[in-house]
């Protein structure tokens, strides 16, 4: 029996087991994917849940070195959807029985922003008769703001840790109090304590990142008892500082492959959490998200931002579907999920089984 198949028999993995799994290739990789597919079928089934993603503003206070909408990038045309555009997008999600929406934007810590989100969350609840689940993904905020939004009806929150290695975190962010690793950890704790289903994630294949960092990320997810994970490959953006290190990266296909292995190993480790097939997978491979589903992911976030603005929410280059309107994306995804042997959980919230069990 190969070393990988022996590791796959174990009920828990050490840092070194994880590194070996992330490095495996060929037949061993096929074995890993077979196992993660089986674990997925057993614990979460073949249903894939939609979260209609509304990227409502690319205005951002932060300056992350990898991100195309960072504050210092003056080449971006900044936009902010009106409330009625956001509500229309939510209505589209409701009419098409998406089950949930995600409100995502650049970071904004102003009181006016906090008020606006509170009001939008209440209005989305109202227009859908409480049917639409609401996930927020609007960065680091105070505990009291998180609580207000939760009370208004948001029930999930996504805040990627980006990397669980503090020193790497400080290499990919400016060295100031607005980009503090410990603050990010505190925010994740606050979200959990407030009662949100809490999601986090990392970027895979960053400059300076090692396999050992990624293995550590997986252990971090497990130790923090997270309910959802979204993670995808690093994709360079020419208007960002990290672009200077583009020659030191893993080849793009390897970053893609490593992302699939991260999803597969995580599914085996945390069998009942929700794992998103990140859109960044599709920026590399036209069937990227479907491949993510096959090896263990169970969530897709179709972009339902009005077509007019999609081009401007470019976190990274080669972002897919920027020329489509929401209705086109939906038709496209129906076909794609069927190809990946999945079934779409229309009209369902598709909550993390892990979270429900904890309750
Ligand atoms: N490549 C891949 N993912 C990126 N993100 C931001 N910039 C990039 C990039 N260049 C991810 C971050 C962020 C999420 C919204 O998008 O992980 O949390
Ligand atoms: Fe958007 Fe295919 S998923 S066009």
């Amino acid at each position: 029996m190969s070393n990988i198949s022996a590791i796959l028999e174990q009920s828990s993995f050490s840092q070194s087991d994880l590194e070996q799994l992330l490095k495996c290739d060929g037949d061993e990789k096929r074995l890993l994917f077979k196992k993660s597919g089986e674990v997925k079928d057993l614990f979460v089934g073949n249903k894939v849940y939609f979260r209609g993603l509304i990227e409502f503003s690319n205005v951002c206070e932060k300056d992350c070195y990898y991100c195309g909408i960072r504050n210092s990038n003056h080449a971006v045309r900044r936009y902010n959807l009106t409330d009625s555009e956001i509500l229309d997008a939510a209505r589209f999600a409701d009419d098409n029985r998406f089950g949930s929406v995600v409100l995502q934007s650049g970071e904004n810590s102003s009181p006016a922003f906090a008020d606006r989100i509170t009001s939008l969350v209440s209005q989305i609840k109202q227009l859908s008769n409480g049917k639409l689940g609401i996930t927020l993904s609007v960065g680091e905020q105070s505990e009291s703001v998180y609580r207000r939004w939760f009370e208004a009806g948001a029930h999930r929150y996504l805040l990627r840790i980006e990397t669980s290695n503090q020193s790497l975190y400080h290499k990919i962010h400016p060295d100031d109090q607005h980009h503090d690793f410990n603050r990010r950890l505190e925010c994740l704790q606050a979200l959990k304590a407030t009662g949100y289903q809490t999601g986090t994630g990392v970027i895979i294949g960053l400059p300076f990142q090692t396999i050992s960092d990624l293995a550590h990320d997986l252990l971090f997810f497990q130790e923090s008892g997270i309910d959802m994970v979204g993670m995808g490959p690093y994709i360079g953006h020419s208007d960002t500082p990290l672009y200077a290190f583009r020659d030191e990266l893993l080849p793009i296909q390897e970053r893609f492959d490593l992302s699939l292995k991260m999803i597969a190993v995580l599914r085996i480790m945390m069998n009942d959490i929700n794992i998103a097939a990140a859109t960044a997978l599709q920026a590399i491979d036209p069937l990227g998200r479907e491949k993510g589903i096959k090896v263990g992911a169970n969530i897709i976030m179709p972009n339902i931002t009005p077509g007019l603005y999609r081009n401007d929410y470019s976190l990274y280059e080669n972002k897919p579907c920027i020329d489509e309107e929401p209705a086109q994306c939906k038709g496209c995804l129906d076909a794609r999920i069927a190809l990946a042997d999945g079934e779409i959980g229309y009209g369902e919230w598709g909550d993390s089984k892990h979270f429900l069990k904890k309750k």
Side-chain angles (χ1 to χ4, degrees):
M1 192 160 57
S2 82
N3 200 22
I4 292 295
S5 57
I7 294 174
L8 289 172
E9 295 293 313
Q10 296 170 196
S11 58
S12 67
F13 303 134
S14 67
Q15 166 86 23
S16 130
D17 295 335
L18 293 171
E19 288 174 19
Q20 289 187 62
L21 289 171
L22 294 177
K23 282 180 193 156
C24 76
D25 203 5
D27 280 344
E28 294 191 325
K29 188 174 77 178
R30 273 185 283 280
L31 219 55
L32 165 65
F33 290 164
K34 183 167 173 282
K35 172 87 179 188
S36 63
E38 286 165 7
V39 171
K40 181 187 160 188
D41 277 348
L42 202 61
F43 288 90
V44 295
N46 73 337
K47 279 223 178 137
V48 175
Y49 299 100
F50 278 176
R51 317 281 186 234
L53 176 63
I54 311 173
E55 299 161 331
F56 65 91
S57 171
N58 64 357
V59 178
C60 189
E61 288 169 356
K62 287 210 164 171
D63 235 350
C64 308
Y65 290 154
Y66 44 84
C67 185
I69 64 166
R70 64 197 298 269
N71 193 275
S72 301
N73 181 9
H74 299 295
V76 189
R77 187 173 55 164
R78 302 287 167 175
Y79 72 89
N80 193 352
L81 261 60
T82 63
D83 284 5
S84 75
E85 285 171 320
I86 297 173
L87 297 174
D88 280 350
R91 219 166 273 124
F92 171 88
D94 191 37
D95 292 346
N96 287 282
R97 303 180 57 236
F98 271 27
S100 299
V101 288
V102 182
L103 294 185
Q104 187 175 81
S105 72
E107 253 184 70
N108 183 338
S109 56
S110 73
F113 182 82
D115 291 344
R116 182 179 188 212
I117 299 295
T118 311
S119 141
L120 283 167
V121 168
S122 316
Q123 291 183 76
I124 292 174
K125 278 285 158 196
Q126 224 163 36
L127 73 83
S128 68
N129 292 318
K131 281 205 313 287
L132 274 180
I134 304 177
T135 306
L136 296 176
S137 175
V138 293
E140 294 170 27
Q141 303 284 343
S142 70
E143 199 162 349
S144 63
V145 167
Y146 284 151
R147 188 160 336 104
R148 273 175 61 201
W149 294 343
F150 186 75
E151 282 160 6
H155 80 297
R156 305 189 190 107
Y157 204 103
L158 304 175
L159 183 70
R160 287 188 178 181
I161 189 73
E162 314 296 0
T163 170
S164 65
N165 174 339
Q166 183 162 7
S167 82
L168 177 57
Y169 190 91
H170 289 293
K171 285 192 186 126
I172 61 171
H173 296 99
D175 187 14
D176 62 28
Q177 82 273 24
H178 302 300
H179 301 82
D180 178 2
F181 181 76
N182 289 313
R183 166 101 209 280
R184 213 152 174 96
L185 288 179
E186 283 159 21
C187 284
L188 282 172
Q189 282 309 322
L191 288 163
K192 273 179 44 183
T194 307
Y196 284 99
Q197 281 178 56
T198 307
T200 191
V202 294
I203 308 181
I204 300 161
L206 284 161
F208 326 118
Q209 190 182 43
T210 63
I211 290 289
S212 151
D213 290 330
L214 291 168
H216 188 264
D217 291 339
L218 292 169
L219 291 171
F220 169 83
F221 298 147
Q222 193 170 46
E223 279 155 23
S224 48
I226 218 76
D227 307 299
M228 326 182 274
V229 171
M231 53 185 173
Y234 169 69
I235 298 169
H237 190 300
S238 55
D239 295 325
T240 61
L242 280 195
Y243 201 66
F245 302 96
R246 62 189 172 283
D247 295 334
E248 291 168 37
L249 299 170
L250 281 179
I252 193 132
Q253 199 52 47
E254 283 180 41
R255 265 176 271 160
F256 178 83
D257 227 48
L258 196 50
S259 303
L260 291 185
K261 286 190 269 184
M262 285 285 284
I263 292 176
V265 178
L266 181 64
R267 173 56 70 202
I268 299 171
M269 291 170 77
M270 301 185 75
N271 49 42
D272 59 357
I273 64 169
N274 277 345
I275 304 179
T279 308
L281 288 171
Q282 203 187 328
I284 300 180
D285 180 328
L287 289 176
R289 287 186 297 191
E290 293 72 6
K291 291 181 182 170
I293 296 287
K294 280 231 163 185
V295 304
N298 66 329
I299 302 287
I300 283 201
M301 296 166 55
N303 194 337
I304 57 167
T305 310
L308 198 59
Y309 300 102
R310 287 186 182 204
N311 238 325
D312 299 316
Y313 199 83
S314 46
L315 306 171
Y316 44 81
E317 279 165 7
N318 204 17
K319 199 165 163 237
C321 307
I322 52 175
D323 297 324
E324 276 75 17
E325 280 296 333
Q328 291 171 293
C329 266
K330 181 183 171 285
C332 169
L333 275 170
D334 283 339
R336 284 165 173 272
I337 304 302
L339 281 176
D341 300 325
E343 184 194 334
I344 299 169
Y346 276 117
E348 296 177 57
W349 280 12
D351 281 330
S352 153
K353 291 204 163 75
H354 180 77
F355 180 82
L356 297 175
K357 263 192 220 155
K358 278 195 303 195
K359 277 183 104 181

